[in-house]
Amino acid sequence: MEWNLLLLFILVIGILLYYRRRNVIQEFNEESRKKLRSKDKMDELFKGYKLLIVPKVTTRLKILKLRDKVFKSEKEFQNINFRMDEATPWEAIKTWKELGLNELGKEIDAELYGAIGKVVWTDIGMMYPKDLESYYNFLENFRTIIENEELSPPERVERVQMMDDENSFLIRLHERYGIDFPENIFIDRLTKIDGISASIGKQFYDIEIYDIETLSRLNKSALKNINGIGSVRADKIKKALNENYE
């Protein structure tokens, strides 16, 4: 009997708190709408533009470093050479707190933006904000190594394999991209040339041909020394290389 009364009491308190909170939020929303209507320009709601960065291993370092940057105009971010698979531009809206509407805005912002950003897509699966921040840091370190032109691709691969990986991101990336990761980042550059498959690209990588510029120096006879390249495929590759440098 006592437990039933206690549960009933807790239920009543919960209902009262719920309606009180709902009324407070409604009052907050009414106050907010009044202040918003009093503004001369709706663009005061916007603080600029941001790039929604795609968290994956092929997103370049310079793009990863822009994830918290707010651009004041479209022209400012349009001057950045980013691929659509790396980032998407979007309008950055001020939070309630930034609009100076009410102290309660801080709490509502936390709930709103927390809900929106709860789960984010990455190339190794969906992530919550806490893990995502760690992954972004990992990606920045990863791309710093991968983009280091002072090292050969095999040296970069070795450096990557030695990275501090307490979150097991490397293991998950191997599961996602295969046993050749991160070699296949360099191999994939070669497979963009018509006639070069992943297996042929891997053979080029193994004989220290890592980029299209070096590959373009090979004559037809040298190409035919690669397993899987005959006369017809060699002609196709040479034609594609010539078109690439026209």
Side-chain angles (χ1 to χ4, degrees), residues 144-192:
T144 299
I145 297 171
I146 289 297
E147 297 177 28
N148 186 350
E149 298 292 339
E150 295 181 359
L151 301 174
S152 69
E155 289 174 326
R156 292 179 232 181
V157 169
E158 184 178 357
R159 293 277 183 95
V160 166
Q161 302 293 11
M162 296 171 61
M163 286 178 64
D164 182 21
D165 187 29
E166 61 180 14
N167 294 294
S168 301
F169 292 137
L170 277 176
I171 294 174
R172 295 164 68 179
L173 286 166
H174 275 288
E175 293 173 352
R176 167 68 175 82
Y177 292 106
I179 59 174
D180 288 333
F181 178 82
E183 291 178 358
N184 49 20
I185 288 180
F186 303 100
I187 294 171
D188 287 348
R189 295 177 184 175
L190 301 178
T191 60
K192 296 184 185 301

Side-chain angles (χ1 to χ4, degrees), residues 180 187 191 196-206 226-228:
D180 288 333
I187 294 171
T191 60
I196 299 181
S197 63
S199 61
I200 291 174
K202 178 67 165 66
Q203 291 179 71
F204 282 130
Y205 181 90
D206 290 340
I226 300 296
N227 185 33

Side-chain angles (χ1 to χ4, degrees), residues 93-151:
I93 302 174
K94 292 180 180 179
T95 62
W96 290 110
K97 186 181 179 183
E98 287 172 331
L99 289 168
L101 296 174
N102 196 304
E103 279 300 313
L104 181 58
K106 182 178 180 181
E107 179 181 348
I108 293 181
D109 283 335
E111 293 184 4
L112 176 62
Y113 290 97
I116 292 174
K118 239 175 190 179
V119 182
V120 176
W121 180 91
T122 76
D123 54 351
I124 54 174
M126 307 303 284
M127 285 189 185
Y128 287 91
K130 181 180 179 182
D131 293 330
L132 183 64
E133 186 61 29
S134 297
Y135 191 47
Y136 269 123
N137 292 332
F138 170 87
L139 288 176
E140 287 194 15
N141 293 331
F142 174 84
R143 291 304 305 187
T144 299
I145 297 171
I146 289 297
E147 297 177 28
N148 186 350
E149 298 292 339
E150 295 181 359
L151 301 174

Side-chain angles (χ1 to χ4, degrees), residues 53-85:
I53 308 299
V54 180
K56 62 178 186 175
V57 294
T58 54
T59 301
R60 291 166 295 170
L61 180 63
K62 72 173 187 177
I63 305 301
L64 289 168
K65 288 185 173 181
L66 294 175
R67 72 181 188 273
D68 295 321
K69 182 176 176 60
V70 176
F71 302 93
K72 294 181 179 179
S73 66
E74 288 186 71
K75 185 177 180 180
E76 191 177 348
F77 75 76
Q78 285 174 348
N79 291 330
I80 299 170
N81 181 25
F82 64 90
R83 305 188 308 265
M84 293 308 295
D85 67 315

Side-chain angles (χ1 to χ4, degrees), residues 202-215:
K202 178 67 165 66
Q203 291 179 71
F204 282 130
Y205 181 90
D206 290 340
I207 60 173
E208 300 183 359
I209 295 176
Y210 311 121
D211 54 67
I212 295 173
E213 183 179 358
T214 305
L215 181 62

Side-chain angles (χ1 to χ4, degrees), residues 1-17:
M1 186 67 178
E2 292 180 357
W3 281 106
N4 290 337
L5 289 174
L6 179 60
L7 290 173
L8 180 62
F9 176 75
I10 293 174
L11 179 62
V12 171
I13 293 298
I15 292 172
L16 291 174
L17 288 173

